[in-house]
Amino acid sequence: MIKNFKNASPQSHPLMGEIEGTVQGHRDGHGFLMPDDGQPDVYLSSQEMHAVMHGDRLRVRVVRFDKRNRPEGRVLEILERRKKPIIGRLLLESGIWLVAPEDKRYGQDILVPKNAIANATAGQIVAVELTEPPSLYSQPVGRVTEVLGEIDDPGMEIEIAVRKYEVPHAFSADTLQQAAKLPDRVRAVDMKHRIDLRDVALVTIDGEDARDFDDAVYCEPHKQGRGKTAFKGWRLLVAIADVSHYVKPGEPLDRDAYERATSVYFPRRVIPMLPEKLSNGLCSLNPEQDRLSMVCDMLVTEAGELHAYQFYPAVINSHARFTYTEVAAILGNTHGPEAHKRQALVPHLLHLHEVYRALLSQRAKRGAVDFETTETQIVCDDNGRIEKIVPRTRNEAHRLIEEAMLAANVCAADFIAGGKHASLYRVHEGPTPEKRGTLQAYLRALGIGMGISDDPTPGEFQAIAQATKDRPDAQQIHTMLLRSMQQAIYTPFNSGHFGLAYQAYTHFTSPIRRYPDLLVHRVIKALLGTKKYALDAHKMEAANPLPKRPGKAAPKIPNPGLASTELERWEVVGAHCSANERRADEASRDVEAWLKCRYMRDHLGEEFAGTVSAVTSFGLFVQLDAMYVEGLIHITELGGEYFRFDEVRQELRGERTGIRYATGARVQVQVSRVDLDGRKIDFRLVREQDEHRLLRGAHRDKFGDKRGDGKGPARKQDKRAEQRARREAAAAPAATVEPMPLPPPDPPTAVDALERIEQADRVLKAERRKSERATKGASAHPVKAAKRTARGAAKSVAVKGSGAPAAKTTRRKRGA
């Protein structure tokens, strides 16, 4: 994790002040203390990290500040050791057993006595429990508690990730027992006090690989009233699975769901928040099955405005299960084969498309930020290895469902705010002052006439995105716009959603896979019954450290049951859900990175075209066009000159040649190294290597092997000419790596390569002629001239002394 010290100052942490917090290690050996009070992190040197490990709780003292006012600490006391098992590979080195942790933040290998390796063998992945913590002079010691298997076993990367990130992956016995007692279908008693919507043509629209369906939609034209008060538009129904009917507060199902807080999605596997009987069965809105739901019934005007809404519990029966691809095909051709199969439902899909277009127009009026991004899908074989990586493009069906869900979420937030009930909002705040300043400087450096104000609005960001979408560096600009925004979190304090341009926003539409949505359902039910929902706080314990918010203190109470007020309890629960959401994302990315590294290991040495996706001070990150895999070109692979990182322009510039590498640049790379343990792929820039090889080939073709011995002044002149030719080629506009629009240019042909060789040959000929003229002229080297004069005088004396005429000599031609 990249640490941000920009807010750090001597006033944040007083010199010699004592601070408590949690250690986060770094793979390079040093670490950071994350203070409990949300203040800036404190740097811990490698020496201070000898006796502690990632995840320990410490008390440190700030002993100094560096030149950038970043605090550095010294460990005073270890308050609590991390008790969770550590996942790693068991190794046998020189008769000593040790475990190398998969999570490189631990920084130290763990010694294992011979009698504590269980049944594991060298090379296997194991879970180890510490029996002796590390000290200043000794490594940690542990014992093997679980053997996961071989590193190449199918699905092993997922087993590692769920333990590495401490993702709960096994339901408790009480939870499984409670789930087993639930009915297999909706009973008559469950339908009491519910609106019967089973005759309404609600349908689900999800991806091809979806297994849990938690939302169904329906739309029809609607007219109401006369005259000025007349309404004309659509009635939009969004039905969401009523998970709260089966998962009650304080029960085992609820405790396990809160601990997980979210489902975790991996390629070919899901770690669900709820047992399969609920997530794929009783709560999933499967087609032609009666299901309980909470319905958001909305009236949407022709202009796309929400005119009215109401919530109520209902029983529905999904009339069909559509996929995004199928719906997009029907909307694109209402007389095609897909439409013919679903002829009875096509009119309802067209109404959904109409209300979507209206909601989309209102989204544009709000100025909501909308960036088009390319998501990828990993397709695995039966052994869990990547077969291919394909782009997952968003079509009209994706956007249709997205707008319908956004509308329902906005109604839920408005309903809760109007009822003045505590709940969780989905908050996305605007950019911090530091990020805002960085973005303003970046836009000025690119010469973009548009900027953002000191109090920016989403419309300003969207206007910049629209104005620059056709530029060659549009991807770079949009990436910087995204990076300037803060991460969205769950909190009881409604600060609005900056990206979507909503005054109030929450999550209501996915209670099967998100715990905050389940809590929102409970609150809405309480408001409908004129009651109040109180958190069952004493049975909720946050399992991991609570996240910090930029510029704000993190909640200090790890257990909601210890909070003094209802609002504090909601704050702790929201922080817990936010932390688990981040954990799920990190675990998913880790698995995908491992799979991609394993995939690229089979392509070592191969060359691919790619686009620079990010620029850092240590190199370029490049995404391959064909495989959607990202790797690093280290700065040492860019040539022999010194490259300076321009933080404002986000580019690397060569000091000697002026060559620039920026986001969006097109490059040709070769896969040079794959590090499975570090989840890293290294590339080598091959364009300059090709030019170098062509220039060297021109030397050999022109001067033969004799000139390839590397000796003599002629060879030195050739080298100088070669270097000059390379500099001229690098400084030429054709060689400057600038962002350029897609599609990529055609690869160079053999004619182009021959022309480049001939050009280099002409340069070398000119250099050689110039050198020969200089040698024969008056400006020849004085020492060499004196030696030639002396040799001529000696020959003359020798001839005169012999009395014979001087012999006429001729130079033998090469090959005679």
Side-chain angles (χ1 to χ4, degrees):
M1 180 181 291
I2 299 175
K3 294 296 174 182
N4 183 5
F5 286 103
K6 291 184 178 179
N7 294 331
S9 65
Q11 290 74 26
S12 301
H13 295 302
L15 190 63
M16 305 307 291
E18 297 183 4
I19 306 161
E20 294 183 4
T22 304
V23 174
Q24 179 161 316
H26 191 278
R27 61 182 300 118
D28 292 339
H30 59 268
F32 301 91
L33 182 85
M34 298 186 295
D36 296 336
D37 58 4
Q39 291 296 317
D41 301 332
V42 179
Y43 174 79
L44 299 175
S45 66
S46 300
Q47 183 178 359
E48 294 294 326
M49 290 291 293
H50 275 316
V52 301
M53 297 189 75
H54 169 71
D56 291 347
R57 281 187 47 78
L58 311 176
R59 180 184 292 115
V60 304
R61 174 178 293 158
V62 177
V63 293
R64 66 177 64 87
F65 294 91
D66 64 10
K67 60 183 179 181
R68 294 171 59 185
N69 287 334
R70 299 180 298 184
E72 183 175 342
R74 178 174 298 163
V75 177
L76 297 180
E77 182 183 0
I78 300 172
L79 302 175
E80 184 182 354
R81 290 286 188 180
R82 188 184 185 97
K83 297 181 175 63
K84 297 288 185 179
I86 299 172
I87 307 301
R89 187 180 299 190
L90 184 65
L91 304 174
L92 179 61
E93 296 183 356
S94 303
I96 299 175
W97 291 93
L98 53 88
V99 171
E102 279 289 324
D103 191 343
K104 301 306 176 185
R105 292 177 297 181
Y106 283 103
Q108 302 183 56
D109 293 339
I110 302 164
L111 299 176
V112 180
K114 186 177 181 180
N115 60 354
I117 63 171
N119 297 322
T121 58
Q124 287 187 317
I125 303 298
V126 299
V128 62
E129 184 181 73
L130 292 185
T131 55
E132 296 181 20
S135 67
L136 289 175
Y137 307 104
S138 64
Q139 289 180 253
V141 180
R143 64 182 183 88
V144 174
T145 58
E146 183 183 7
V147 181
L148 302 183
E150 303 293 338
I151 185 64
D152 290 327
D153 289 347
M156 180 55 64
E157 67 280 356
I158 298 177
E159 296 295 336
I160 293 173
V162 296
R163 291 165 175 81
K164 175 179 176 180
Y165 293 95
E166 299 177 17
V167 175
H169 57 283
F171 289 105
S172 66
D174 292 340
T175 295
L176 295 176
Q177 185 177 5
Q178 183 186 357
K181 293 180 180 179
L182 292 173
D184 295 327
R185 59 180 59 89
V186 176
R187 301 166 300 183
V189 67
D190 298 322
M191 301 183 191
K192 289 183 178 181
H193 310 296
R194 290 180 177 269
I195 305 296
D196 192 343
L197 297 180
R198 285 178 288 183
D199 60 334
V200 178
L202 287 150
V203 297
T204 61
I205 305 176
D206 293 275
E208 283 78 0
D209 54 351
R211 297 179 61 192
D212 55 340
F213 313 117
D214 47 17
D215 58 81
V217 291
Y218 169 80
C219 183
E220 65 182 11
H222 186 77
K223 293 182 180 180
Q224 180 179 323
R226 294 180 179 180
K228 295 182 179 180
T229 60
F231 170 84
K232 186 178 180 181
W234 298 270
R235 182 187 179 197
L236 174 63
L237 272 67
V238 175
I240 306 299
D242 190 0
V243 178
S244 62
H245 180 82
Y246 300 102
V247 181
K248 303 296 185 181
E251 294 182 347
L253 274 172
D254 187 50
R255 288 198 296 269
D256 274 16
Y258 175 74
E259 182 185 8
R260 300 181 179 214
T262 182
S263 297
V264 187
Y265 292 86
F266 299 109
R268 299 179 71 245
R269 183 179 172 187
V270 178
I271 307 295
M273 186 182 78
L274 299 171
E276 188 173 353
K277 186 170 184 177
L278 285 169
S279 60
N280 296 342
L282 198 55
C283 290
S284 182
L285 305 183
N286 299 324
E288 301 178 357
Q289 298 286 333
D290 291 348
R291 290 291 183 261
L292 306 182
S293 68
M294 284 294 295
V295 175
C296 181
D297 194 339
M298 297 167 276
L299 292 180
V300 182
T301 67
E302 290 181 322
E305 297 177 347
L306 289 170
H307 178 73
Y309 65 85
Q310 62 176 332
F311 288 92
Y312 51 82
V315 55
I316 70 166
N317 188 299
S318 174
H319 285 217
R321 182 265 202 264
F322 283 101
T323 65
Y324 293 121
T325 305
E326 187 179 8
V327 172
I330 293 173
L331 295 176
N333 183 7
T334 56
H335 299 286
E338 293 84 359
H340 183 71
K341 293 177 185 177
R342 310 277 194 168
Q343 193 169 2
L345 296 173
V346 169
H348 303 303
L349 293 180
L350 294 177
H351 294 325
L352 281 169
H353 190 254
E354 290 169 359
V355 75
Y356 149 68
R357 301 298 300 178
L359 291 170
L360 192 64
S361 66
Q362 189 61 220
R363 179 187 185 125
K365 291 179 182 178
R366 292 197 318 268
V369 181
D370 187 16
F371 296 131
E372 286 294 334
T373 58
T374 302
E375 296 183 2
T376 58
Q377 178 183 2
I378 295 178
V379 180
C380 297
D381 57 21
D382 295 337
N383 295 322
R385 300 291 180 254
I386 292 183
E387 191 173 276
K388 58 183 176 179
I389 303 174
V390 296
R392 186 181 301 189
T393 55
R394 293 172 68 244
N395 54 38
E396 287 287 280
H398 287 88
R399 299 183 182 94
L400 184 154
I401 291 298
E402 179 183 333
E403 287 300 326
M405 298 304 112
L406 290 177
N409 287 335
V410 169
C411 292
D414 184 74
F415 185 64
I416 293 172
K420 301 186 184 309
H421 196 295
S423 183
L424 290 181
Y425 294 92
R426 183 67 169 177
V427 169
H428 181 221
E429 296 181 348
T432 62
E434 293 77 16
K435 290 185 176 181
R436 187 177 65 242
T438 301
L439 179 61
Q440 288 171 334
Y442 171 74
L443 296 174
R444 284 196 300 268
L446 292 186
I448 298 176
M450 307 173 67
I452 59 173
S453 61
D454 292 336
D455 187 16
T457 63
E460 295 177 26
F461 280 73
Q462 184 63 13
I464 296 172
Q466 287 295 322
T468 59
K469 65 180 181 180
D470 296 327
R471 287 175 54 120
D473 55 352
Q475 181 182 357
Q476 175 188 1
I477 297 170
H478 294 179
T479 300
M480 289 300 296
L481 290 173
L482 282 172
R483 288 178 180 173
S484 68
M485 301 180 189
Q486 301 184 47
Q487 286 184 318
I489 61 171
Y490 295 107
T491 174
F493 306 104
N494 179 26
S495 301
H497 198 291
F498 181 83
L500 296 174
Y502 286 132
Q503 296 297 321
Y505 186 73
T506 190
H507 276 169
F508 162 78
T509 55
S510 298
I512 291 179
R513 61 185 180 90
R514 290 191 305 230
Y515 196 80
D517 300 54
L518 176 58
L519 292 176
V520 168
H521 275 237
R522 290 173 179 170
V523 171
I524 290 176
K525 278 189 174 182
L527 289 173
L528 290 175
T530 64
K531 299 179 182 178
K532 183 178 180 181
Y533 171 67
L535 286 172
D536 189 19
H538 291 278
K539 296 180 181 179
M540 294 181 176
E541 294 184 358
N544 17 333
L546 302 175
K548 295 183 302 181
R549 300 174 61 188
K552 299 182 181 180
K556 299 180 181 180
I557 304 172
N559 187 337
L562 302 178
S564 58
T565 65
E566 180 72 8
L567 198 61
E568 283 184 359
R569 284 194 285 270
W570 280 99
E571 185 179 8
V572 174
V573 170
H576 168 77
C577 293
S578 299
N580 281 268
E581 181 186 40
R582 304 285 180 265
R583 178 179 66 181
D585 291 341
E586 290 176 0
S588 298
R589 283 195 296 265
D590 186 81
V591 169
E592 290 185 4
W594 191 95
L595 288 171
K596 289 179 179 179
C597 287
R598 180 68 179 79
Y599 181 56
M600 294 306 295
R601 200 167 64 175
D602 297 332
H603 297 277
L604 280 170
E606 297 182 21
E607 297 182 5
F608 301 95
T611 304
V612 176
S613 56
V615 182
T616 67
S617 59
F618 52 84
L620 311 172
F621 285 97
V622 176
Q623 186 179 59
L624 304 184
D625 296 340
M627 298 183 175
Y628 301 96
V629 172
E630 192 175 65
L632 174 69
I633 303 177
H634 196 268
I635 196 169
T636 56
E637 297 286 348
L638 297 179
E641 67 175 310
Y642 180 78
F643 282 88
R644 186 178 298 278
F645 177 57
D646 189 334
E647 188 174 2
V648 175
R649 293 178 177 269
Q650 291 290 302
E651 67 179 16
L652 286 173
R653 182 188 293 268
E655 286 198 341
R656 180 169 54 86
T657 62
I659 189 171
R660 294 177 294 168
Y661 296 94
T663 306
R666 302 285 303 159
V667 291
Q668 190 81 9
V669 299
Q670 182 186 58
V671 183
S672 60
R673 180 175 174 269
V674 175
D675 180 9
L676 271 176
D677 294 335
R679 314 297 197 261
K680 292 181 178 180
I681 302 171
D682 290 337
F683 295 148
R684 183 171 60 89
L685 194 64
V686 298
R687 177 176 297 173
E688 291 193 0
Q689 296 292 333
D690 287 344
E691 291 177 356
H692 180 69
R693 184 168 62 252
L694 290 172
L695 288 172
R696 292 292 298 272
H699 279 286
R700 287 194 298 269
D701 294 341
K702 176 62 182 174
F703 301 112
D705 294 337
K706 185 175 180 180
R707 286 194 166 281
D709 58 3
K711 299 178 181 179
R715 178 59 180 163
K716 294 179 181 179
Q717 292 167 4
D718 295 343
K719 286 185 177 180
R720 287 195 294 270
E722 177 184 342
Q723 293 170 356
R724 187 178 295 107
R726 288 188 63 188
R727 286 197 300 270
E728 292 173 355
T736 303
V737 182
E738 291 284 358
M740 59 184 68
L742 296 174
D746 295 332
T749 63
V751 176
D752 297 332
L754 180 60
E755 183 179 350
R756 190 157 45 178
I757 292 175
E758 291 176 348
Q759 175 65 24
D761 194 12
R762 287 194 292 270
V763 173
L764 296 175
K765 282 182 180 180
E767 291 294 331
R768 187 182 179 192
R769 287 196 296 268
K770 182 178 179 181
S771 175
E772 290 175 352
R773 286 197 300 268
T775 302
K776 294 179 181 179
S779 60
H781 197 283
V783 176
K784 293 181 180 179
K787 287 183 178 179
R788 284 197 297 271
T789 303
R791 284 197 297 269
K795 280 186 179 182
S796 177
V797 172
V799 169
K800 289 181 180 180
S802 63
K808 185 176 181 181
T809 60
T810 59
R811 184 186 300 274
R812 292 185 63 191
K813 294 183 180 179
R814 179 177 295 185

